[in-house]
Amino acid sequence: MLNRVSWADDAETARKPETGGRKAQPNIPPETRREKSKIRRELRHFRNNRELFLLSLPGILYKLIFAYIPMIGLIIAFKNYRYDLGMFGSKWVGLDNFRYLFSTDAAWRITRNTVLYNAAYILTTAAAALLLAILLNEVKAKWSKYYQTALFLPYFLSWVLVGYVAYAFLNHSDGFINRTLQAFGMDPVSWYQNPGPWPVILILVQLWKAIGFNTLIYFAGIIGINGEYYEAARIDGATKRQMAMKITVPLLAPLVIIMLILSIGNMFRGDFGLHYFIPNNSGFLYGSTDVIDTYVYRALREIGNVSMSAATGFYQSVVGFILVLLANGIVRKINPDHSLW
């Protein structure tokens, strides 16, 4: 009897699949298994870097509240917005608001000024900031902090304050420049009535205000370069200029290109503060200093049409996004390692 029971148990055990003491796994499709594995990896990555995610939370909330949630207001660009009807109750007019910008006589002038000024700002700021960063790297550490502060301080000044500083220099009656000219026996210049010098003036003012931020970014990139490259070049007898041109500039090229690509996104968006407060909104200078933002501001201040303002901002954002994609695509074709994605 015992033998028959033992034989039956052995037969039952033989019919059961061997599972190694674990429950048999259900037949899960490979796609589902890969998806679950990906989720587990993401959760593990979040747990390992939760401090960094918590530090980034304020920036994420800022972007969400002030950048992404207000995007619902883009529908105003396609409506004849009325305050009494609200954003959703206003009449839909399609692309009529976009025709406002292109139907004006000044459309070509303000578009040309916006593109050319921004191109000049991008190129001059990148070149000057890169040069200053290289020179700053040669300064002793004790003095480097003072130079960094002096360069970065104008970045925090408002354009209103900078406009008053510019007026103190360019005022016709008692401005610093005209008083200096008179001291040398020369006639004073009516700066706010003469559009000729203003492209140079605006480029210099923008360079003075923005160069500190870009210089510190490039300076941080130079600090990250391995010092062994410079040591080897110094042993071979390379000069400071040769080390800058053969080591620093090539190794900073990816950072410079990324900064240029990001700047190209604002090619169609003029700096309102620079072009409004520095020329002091002088009507004599509109042909030389006017950009899309200042023109629309003055026009809409008289018309009071919010929809046209929204259409202009939407148009500038779309064009800027396309320019970033094109610039990144060109860089990726030339050197994929230097592109953003």
Side-chain angles (χ1 to χ4, degrees), residues 307-335:
S307 299
M308 291 181 182
S309 177
T312 304
F314 181 69
Y315 163 70
Q316 291 175 302
S317 299
V318 170
V319 173
F321 178 68
I322 294 173
L323 289 175
V324 169
L325 293 180
L326 290 176
N328 186 76
I330 294 173
V331 172
R332 188 172 55 197
K333 288 289 185 181
I334 299 173
N335 191 340

Short mmCIF file of all heavy atoms in Angstrom, two decimals, residues 307-335:
data_model
loop_
_atom_site.label_atom_id
_atom_site.label_comp_id
_atom_site.label_asym_id
_atom_site.label_seq_id
_atom_site.Cartn_x
_atom_site.Cartn_y
_atom_site.Cartn_z
N SER A 307 -6.16 91.61 -29.48
CA SER A 307 -6.04 90.46 -30.38
C SER A 307 -4.86 90.62 -31.33
O SER A 307 -4.14 89.67 -31.62
CB SER A 307 -7.34 90.27 -31.17
OG SER A 307 -8.42 90.02 -30.30
N MET A 308 -4.65 91.83 -31.83
CA MET A 308 -3.53 92.06 -32.74
C MET A 308 -2.20 91.90 -32.01
O MET A 308 -1.23 91.37 -32.57
CB MET A 308 -3.63 93.47 -33.33
CG MET A 308 -4.78 93.65 -34.29
SD MET A 308 -4.83 95.31 -34.97
CE MET A 308 -6.30 95.21 -35.99
N SER A 309 -2.15 92.33 -30.76
CA SER A 309 -0.94 92.14 -29.97
C SER A 309 -0.66 90.66 -29.76
O SER A 309 0.49 90.21 -29.88
CB SER A 309 -1.08 92.85 -28.63
OG SER A 309 0.04 92.63 -27.83
N ALA A 310 -1.68 89.88 -29.45
CA ALA A 310 -1.51 88.44 -29.26
C ALA A 310 -1.09 87.76 -30.56
O ALA A 310 -0.26 86.85 -30.55
CB ALA A 310 -2.81 87.82 -28.74
N ALA A 311 -1.64 88.21 -31.69
CA ALA A 311 -1.27 87.63 -32.98
C ALA A 311 0.20 87.90 -33.30
O ALA A 311 0.91 87.03 -33.82
CB ALA A 311 -2.16 88.20 -34.08
N THR A 312 0.66 89.10 -32.99
CA THR A 312 2.06 89.44 -33.24
C THR A 312 2.99 88.58 -32.39
O THR A 312 4.00 88.06 -32.87
CB THR A 312 2.31 90.92 -32.96
OG1 THR A 312 1.41 91.70 -33.75
CG2 THR A 312 3.73 91.31 -33.29
N GLY A 313 2.67 88.45 -31.10
CA GLY A 313 3.50 87.62 -30.23
C GLY A 313 3.51 86.16 -30.66
O GLY A 313 4.55 85.49 -30.61
N PHE A 314 2.36 85.66 -31.09
CA PHE A 314 2.28 84.27 -31.56
C PHE A 314 3.12 84.09 -32.83
O PHE A 314 3.84 83.08 -32.97
CB PHE A 314 0.82 83.91 -31.82
CG PHE A 314 0.62 82.50 -32.27
CD1 PHE A 314 0.83 81.44 -31.41
CD2 PHE A 314 0.22 82.22 -33.56
CE1 PHE A 314 0.64 80.13 -31.82
CE2 PHE A 314 0.04 80.92 -33.99
CZ PHE A 314 0.24 79.87 -33.13
N TYR A 315 3.04 85.05 -33.73
CA TYR A 315 3.82 84.99 -34.97
C TYR A 315 5.32 84.99 -34.66
O TYR A 315 6.09 84.19 -35.23
CB TYR A 315 3.45 86.17 -35.85
CG TYR A 315 4.42 86.47 -36.96
CD1 TYR A 315 4.54 85.62 -38.05
CD2 TYR A 315 5.22 87.61 -36.90
CE1 TYR A 315 5.45 85.90 -39.06
CE2 TYR A 315 6.11 87.89 -37.91
CZ TYR A 315 6.23 87.04 -38.99
OH TYR A 315 7.12 87.33 -39.98
N GLN A 316 5.76 85.84 -33.76
CA GLN A 316 7.18 85.89 -33.41
C GLN A 316 7.65 84.59 -32.77
O GLN A 316 8.76 84.12 -33.05
CB GLN A 316 7.44 87.06 -32.46
CG GLN A 316 7.29 88.43 -33.10
CD GLN A 316 7.43 89.55 -32.09
OE1 GLN A 316 6.69 89.61 -31.11
NE2 GLN A 316 8.38 90.42 -32.31
N SER A 317 6.81 83.99 -31.93
CA SER A 317 7.20 82.74 -31.26
C SER A 317 7.32 81.60 -32.26
O SER A 317 8.26 80.80 -32.19
CB SER A 317 6.17 82.39 -30.18
OG SER A 317 6.10 83.40 -29.20
N VAL A 318 6.38 81.52 -33.20
CA VAL A 318 6.42 80.44 -34.19
C VAL A 318 7.65 80.58 -35.09
O VAL A 318 8.36 79.60 -35.35
CB VAL A 318 5.12 80.43 -35.03
CG1 VAL A 318 5.24 79.48 -36.21
CG2 VAL A 318 3.94 80.04 -34.16
N VAL A 319 7.92 81.80 -35.55
CA VAL A 319 9.09 82.01 -36.40
C VAL A 319 10.37 81.71 -35.64
O VAL A 319 11.30 81.10 -36.17
CB VAL A 319 9.09 83.45 -36.95
CG1 VAL A 319 10.39 83.74 -37.70
CG2 VAL A 319 7.91 83.68 -37.87
N GLY A 320 10.44 82.13 -34.38
CA GLY A 320 11.62 81.83 -33.57
C GLY A 320 11.83 80.34 -33.39
O GLY A 320 12.97 79.85 -33.46
N PHE A 321 10.74 79.61 -33.17
CA PHE A 321 10.85 78.15 -33.02
C PHE A 321 11.34 77.51 -34.31
O PHE A 321 12.20 76.61 -34.28
CB PHE A 321 9.48 77.59 -32.63
CG PHE A 321 9.43 76.10 -32.49
CD1 PHE A 321 10.10 75.46 -31.46
CD2 PHE A 321 8.73 75.32 -33.39
CE1 PHE A 321 10.07 74.08 -31.33
CE2 PHE A 321 8.69 73.94 -33.27
CZ PHE A 321 9.35 73.32 -32.23
N ILE A 322 10.84 77.97 -35.45
CA ILE A 322 11.29 77.43 -36.74
C ILE A 322 12.77 77.73 -36.97
O ILE A 322 13.52 76.89 -37.47
CB ILE A 322 10.42 77.99 -37.88
CG1 ILE A 322 8.98 77.48 -37.74
CG2 ILE A 322 10.98 77.62 -39.24
CD1 ILE A 322 8.01 78.11 -38.73
N LEU A 323 13.20 78.94 -36.60
CA LEU A 323 14.61 79.30 -36.77
C LEU A 323 15.52 78.42 -35.92
O LEU A 323 16.61 78.03 -36.35
CB LEU A 323 14.81 80.78 -36.43
CG LEU A 323 14.25 81.79 -37.42
CD1 LEU A 323 14.42 83.21 -36.89
CD2 LEU A 323 14.92 81.65 -38.78
N VAL A 324 15.09 78.11 -34.70
CA VAL A 324 15.88 77.23 -33.84
C VAL A 324 15.99 75.84 -34.46
O VAL A 324 17.07 75.22 -34.48
CB VAL A 324 15.26 77.14 -32.43
CG1 VAL A 324 15.91 76.03 -31.62
CG2 VAL A 324 15.42 78.46 -31.71
N LEU A 325 14.88 75.32 -34.99
CA LEU A 325 14.92 74.01 -35.64
C LEU A 325 15.84 74.01 -36.86
O LEU A 325 16.62 73.07 -37.05
CB LEU A 325 13.50 73.59 -36.05
CG LEU A 325 12.50 73.32 -34.93
CD1 LEU A 325 11.15 72.93 -35.51
CD2 LEU A 325 13.00 72.23 -34.01
N LEU A 326 15.77 75.07 -37.67
CA LEU A 326 16.61 75.15 -38.86
C LEU A 326 18.09 75.25 -38.47
O LEU A 326 18.95 74.57 -39.06
CB LEU A 326 16.20 76.34 -39.71
CG LEU A 326 14.86 76.23 -40.43
CD1 LEU A 326 14.53 77.53 -41.16
CD2 LEU A 326 14.86 75.06 -41.40
N ALA A 327 18.38 76.11 -37.50
CA ALA A 327 19.78 76.28 -37.08
C ALA A 327 20.33 74.98 -36.51
O ALA A 327 21.47 74.59 -36.81
CB ALA A 327 19.88 77.40 -36.05
N ASN A 328 19.54 74.31 -35.68
CA ASN A 328 20.00 73.04 -35.11
C ASN A 328 20.17 71.98 -36.19
O ASN A 328 21.10 71.17 -36.15
CB ASN A 328 19.01 72.56 -34.05
CG ASN A 328 19.50 71.32 -33.33
OD1 ASN A 328 20.36 71.38 -32.47
ND2 ASN A 328 18.93 70.18 -33.68
N GLY A 329 19.27 71.99 -37.20
CA GLY A 329 19.40 71.03 -38.30
C GLY A 329 20.66 71.26 -39.11
O GLY A 329 21.33 70.30 -39.52
N ILE A 330 21.00 72.53 -39.36
CA ILE A 330 22.22 72.84 -40.11
C ILE A 330 23.46 72.39 -39.32
O ILE A 330 24.38 71.79 -39.88
CB ILE A 330 22.28 74.34 -40.43
CG1 ILE A 330 21.14 74.71 -41.40
CG2 ILE A 330 23.62 74.71 -41.02
CD1 ILE A 330 21.01 76.20 -41.63
N VAL A 331 23.47 72.69 -38.02
CA VAL A 331 24.60 72.29 -37.19
C VAL A 331 24.72 70.77 -37.14
O VAL A 331 25.82 70.21 -37.18
CB VAL A 331 24.47 72.88 -35.77
CG1 VAL A 331 25.53 72.32 -34.84
CG2 VAL A 331 24.56 74.40 -35.83
N ARG A 332 23.59 70.08 -37.06
CA ARG A 332 23.61 68.62 -37.00
C ARG A 332 24.14 68.01 -38.29
O ARG A 332 24.81 66.97 -38.27
CB ARG A 332 22.21 68.10 -36.71
CG ARG A 332 22.14 66.60 -36.42
CD ARG A 332 20.76 66.22 -35.95
NE ARG A 332 19.77 66.65 -36.90
CZ ARG A 332 18.47 66.74 -36.62
NH1 ARG A 332 18.04 66.45 -35.41
NH2 ARG A 332 17.61 67.13 -37.54
N LYS A 333 23.86 68.67 -39.44
CA LYS A 333 24.39 68.19 -40.70
C LYS A 333 25.91 68.35 -40.76
O LYS A 333 26.63 67.50 -41.30
CB LYS A 333 23.75 68.97 -41.86
CG LYS A 333 22.30 68.63 -42.12
CD LYS A 333 22.15 67.25 -42.73
CE LYS A 333 20.69 66.98 -43.10
NZ LYS A 333 20.52 65.62 -43.67
N ILE A 334 26.41 69.46 -40.20
CA ILE A 334 27.85 69.74 -40.23
C ILE A 334 28.59 68.89 -39.20
O ILE A 334 29.58 68.24 -39.50
CB ILE A 334 28.11 71.24 -40.00
CG1 ILE A 334 27.44 72.07 -41.13
CG2 ILE A 334 29.60 71.53 -39.96
CD1 ILE A 334 27.51 73.56 -40.90
N ASN A 335 28.10 68.94 -37.96
CA ASN A 335 28.74 68.19 -36.87
C ASN A 335 27.67 67.78 -35.87
O ASN A 335 27.23 68.60 -35.07
CB ASN A 335 29.82 69.03 -36.18
CG ASN A 335 30.68 68.22 -35.24
OD1 ASN A 335 30.31 67.14 -34.80
ND2 ASN A 335 31.87 68.72 -34.94
#
